Amino acid sequence: MTESLTLPLPERLARVPFLAEALLLAIAAAMFFLLPYSLGFLTRVLILMVLVLSIDLLLGFAGIATLGQAAMYGAGAYAAGLFAIHVWADPLAGLVVGAAAGAALALLSGLVLMRAQGLTLIMLTIAVAQICMEIANKARGVTGGSDGLRGIRMDPVLGLFEFDFIGQTGYWYALAVLAAVFLLLRLVTRSAFGLSLRGIHDSPARMTAIGTPVYGRRVAAYALAGAIAGIAGALTAQVTQLVSPEVFAFTLSAEALIMLVLGGTGRLIGGIIGVAIFMTVHHTAAAHDPFNWLFVIGAMVLGVVFFVPGGLVSLPARLRGLMGRAL
Amino acid sequence: MQGLCVRGLNKSFGGLTVALDIDFDLPPGARKALIGPNGAGKSTFANLVTGILAPSSGTITFDGQDIGHLREAARVRRGIAKTFQITTLFRSMTVRENLRLPILQRDGRATGLWRRSDSDRGVEEEVTALLEQFRLAPLGDLPVSQLAYGQQRLVEMALTLALRPRVLILDEPAAGVPSSESPLIIEAIERLPQDLAVLIIEHDMDLVFRIARQIVVLVAGRILTEGSPAEISRDPKVRELYLGGAHV
């Protein structure tokens, strides 16, 4: 304790557990009151954060590059939607079903995909999502085709909180799920399993040389990330009460990846910050210029890649380093 | 038969033969060196034994059990471990994490999802003991990428030893290490457990003659001769073929 008191203030703050998380939670709560007419948009931001966290587990920790996480997101959305319509409209049960669907699709496709690396793997992940989109389009009898899956009516959350049309319940519900997913991933990434994923990220050859079945470990990581993407998809289905084949869109996978890179990979909190910044820029820049707002995002991504390769989350440490050198 | 036992091992890539009818034994406690000119097939032989390459023909047994069909990771779990010629560490991790991971993997606990990876006292004590054995104790919490190259070679060896192997193959353990740091490597090898079977593949003859009790000379994929350091240094064929050009 005495040692930590001699540290400069920023580093002392960095040692307070859950400080950044508490701050973000406070911001999220404040947003509810500051933008009461944008709850739909804000809820979408929270759901994207869950999706981006699932990609961070893959890219940031296990070093598995993917441009097809929308496949598991969409699978979760359709599974949760169909489950609510045909079986039971309980939201939490729907989340479990969405997670199971995402995990099942990831496990099945992962058995093939995780044998591939690099560019081949990226192309295959895109292909899986495109195939899913085609199936959703063609299987009209089940999915409603391009009209989308309609008629989802959710029961109250925990039997207490009715979904309202302004989206107040949806917002708190999504925030609670995001917090739960974040804490779960925090545990997992700091566990022995998480350490072994970082090992695969650093050197698959060395991991094999210490006796790790690298392929199996990668499939497990892909399935776990698939479950979390499935939860994000289920949330969308439940909150918007509509699922269309667009849930499998390539742009969703790609934008989610850009958000993660913007914020910084391998830290969980980086993904959260990346989504927040991307969506804020999207919201304000698109309002000013609906055709060219992507320029702003493009410039930001270039700036991050060239000047802050660790993502915006590493900016404070980097600035401190620069200042230290200047002094 | 205890230890590693190779019989009639062949490997060819198309028309190129890189291992020809190799018979080789490595009993517990052995200190053998594998030497030979560049391209003699030393690394190929190591890769055949560890399972990175599959032999064209021949048998590999370990403690009397056939391991020729096992993949690399499965052979490691049986106790056959190898260090890399080019240092291959977990570069984003600290030195402690680099040693923690193989211990967890060895104990079959690298799939635990909930407990913090550094929460097991037994594992942490073992990490500390390894750090002390390789004189790395003050560096434990540094990122491994910040260490000097000689120290990284020591981490490479410590990481492999963390698996508690029964056969240790050291592929050019002193490669790229400045001569001022090579005594560190030699000392570390001398302090390896006595019952461990060690095979060293090395160009540095000083190191070979200090450590090896048996030397195997490989030329063009074939074993030319095998003997004690004294026998090998007297052997006219070896002097001509290997030591002759460069060292006399």
Side-chain angles (χ1 to χ4, degrees), chain A residues 115 184 187-196 198-203 205-214 217 224, chain B residues 72-73 76-77 82 84 88 90-93 97 100-102 104-105 109-117 156 159-160 163:
Chain A
R115 297 201 178 277
L184 174 100
L187 275 179
V188 167
T189 53
R190 289 177 180 191
S191 71
F193 179 75
L195 189 65
S196 75
R198 285 174 58 203
I200 293 172
H201 178 283
D202 284 3
S203 172
R206 169 56 79 184
M207 281 306 274
T208 306
I210 65 169
T212 310
V214 170
R217 205 60 57 88
L224 181 58
Chain B
E72 184 190 355
V76 174
R77 292 196 288 271
K82 173 179 171 286
F84 287 59
T88 309
F90 302 117
R91 296 195 64 81
S92 76
M93 300 184 193
E97 285 172 324
R100 183 179 301 137
L101 185 47
L104 291 169
Q105 177 62 44
R109 288 171 18 192
T111 49
L113 275 174
W114 309 121
R115 295 185 54 195
R116 283 182 66 111
S117 59
E156 170 99 19
L159 188 161
T160 312
L163 299 167

